[in-house]
Amino acid sequence: MTFINGPTPPAGPASAARFDFDGDGSSDPVIFRPSSGTWWYAASSAGGGFRAAQFGQAGDQLVAADYDGDGTTDYAVFRPSNGVWYIMGSHSGFTAAAFGFGTDIPQPGDYDGDGKADIAVYRPSNGVWYIMGSTSGFSAFQFGISTDVPVAADFDGDHKTDAAVYRGGVWYILGSQAGFSAFQFGIASDLPVAADYDGDGKADAAVYRGGVWHVLGSQAGYYGFQWGMASDTPVPADYDGDGKTDFAVYRGSENTWYVTRSGSSASGAYSTMQFGSTGDQLMHY
């Protein structure tokens, strides 16, 4: 598989499961096949199986999220060639909106807390966030520098996505409720993987380092967890629907997903699934 540039932003409402395409409250593994413009996901709902939808083309960036607030993740792409967002709402149907430039990093999330994902981009050239709130309308503010990695998430638990950046091991967060904070957690070569790992409704600062997850839980405090290897791609999400993000990796050499299950009663429970092929795009989580 190949991967889009930059981290994938939170999907839909800040409290919703990321990438829940079948609306059952659990995240679904998903890939995009540029050669045919087709999305495939492994359904976690009753009946399971693999499901497909054609939406997008080669060169698009994947920005799936719940834009219409019905609890189901919508297929969506950002096309750098023209700066247009194309969204297929599971409830609202098709929409297209010009918002951003080809060098912008898409960061959709529920910034105004109305239960719908908002179109948003981070512009590295000036460190400015541009947001089109589905309720609050347009806003823009400077928060970051050109080398930062945007890591938007709901860090203060108020059901609004917060602007945040990761800079060489330091997290800078502009909480919609808690205000500004900055702290050292990680090193420059780490991959930030912020998510709610302890289930308290707040995103936790976390990094993936060569197969080891380092998490600064807002409730559980610091802990490390070995899951994966250096060449794996972390794909954390709430695959079992218990409200806690599960550690998971995709191993490209095998086209295999390895997923822990925080909601399982069995200690150390996990699952594996072969899903994907060479040339597919995988959403960063």
Side-chain angles (χ1 to χ4, degrees), residues 26-275:
S26 299
S27 302
D28 307 305
V30 59
I31 59 96
F32 176 74
R33 191 154 294 162
S35 59
S36 61
T38 304
W39 297 70
W40 293 83
Y41 73 90
S44 52
S45 59
F50 299 106
R51 304 176 188 180
Q54 192 171 35
F55 192 76
Q57 63 185 36
D60 289 346
Q61 296 187 11
L62 313 182
V63 290
D66 182 10
Y67 293 92
D68 53 18
D70 66 348
T72 300
T73 298
D74 306 314
Y75 299 106
V77 297
F78 173 71
R79 190 159 296 162
S81 61
N82 60 7
V84 174
W85 296 64
Y86 299 93
I87 301 168
M88 182 54 74
S90 51
H91 179 75
S92 59
F94 175 78
T95 58
F99 196 80
F101 298 118
T103 56
D104 291 345
I105 301 173
Q107 290 282 285
D110 186 6
Y111 293 89
D112 53 17
D114 66 350
K116 299 178 181 180
D118 306 312
I119 293 173
V121 297
Y122 175 75
R123 188 161 297 164
S125 61
N126 58 8
V128 173
W129 295 70
Y130 298 90
I131 300 168
M132 181 56 72
S134 50
T135 294
S136 59
F138 176 76
S139 62
F141 53 89
Q142 203 279 333
F143 191 74
I145 59 177
S146 62
T147 55
D148 289 345
V149 177
V151 288
D154 180 13
F155 290 94
D156 53 18
D158 65 347
H159 303 293
K160 295 181 180 180
T161 299
D162 306 313
V165 295
Y166 181 75
R167 185 182 304 166
V170 178
W171 297 72
Y172 296 88
I173 300 169
L174 187 59
S176 50
Q177 183 179 64
F180 174 77
S181 63
F183 53 90
Q184 173 80 42
F185 189 74
I187 58 178
S189 58
D190 288 343
L191 180 63
V193 285
D196 183 9
Y197 294 92
D198 52 20
D200 66 347
K202 300 179 181 180
D204 307 311
V207 296
Y208 182 78
R209 185 185 304 162
V212 179
W213 302 70
H214 298 272
V215 180
L216 186 60
S218 49
Q219 184 178 64
Y222 170 77
Y223 61 96
F225 185 74
Q226 172 76 48
W227 187 256
M229 56 175 50
S231 58
D232 291 344
T233 298
V235 287
D238 184 11
Y239 295 98
D240 55 16
D242 68 341
K244 298 180 181 179
T245 298
D246 305 311
F247 300 108
V249 297
Y250 173 79
R251 189 159 298 163
S253 60
E254 305 169 358
N255 295 321
T256 301
W257 300 64
Y258 294 86
V259 181
T260 62
R261 300 284 175 175
S262 55
S264 174
S265 59
S267 177
Y270 70 94
S271 63
T272 64
M273 178 180 58
Q274 194 166 38
F275 179 54

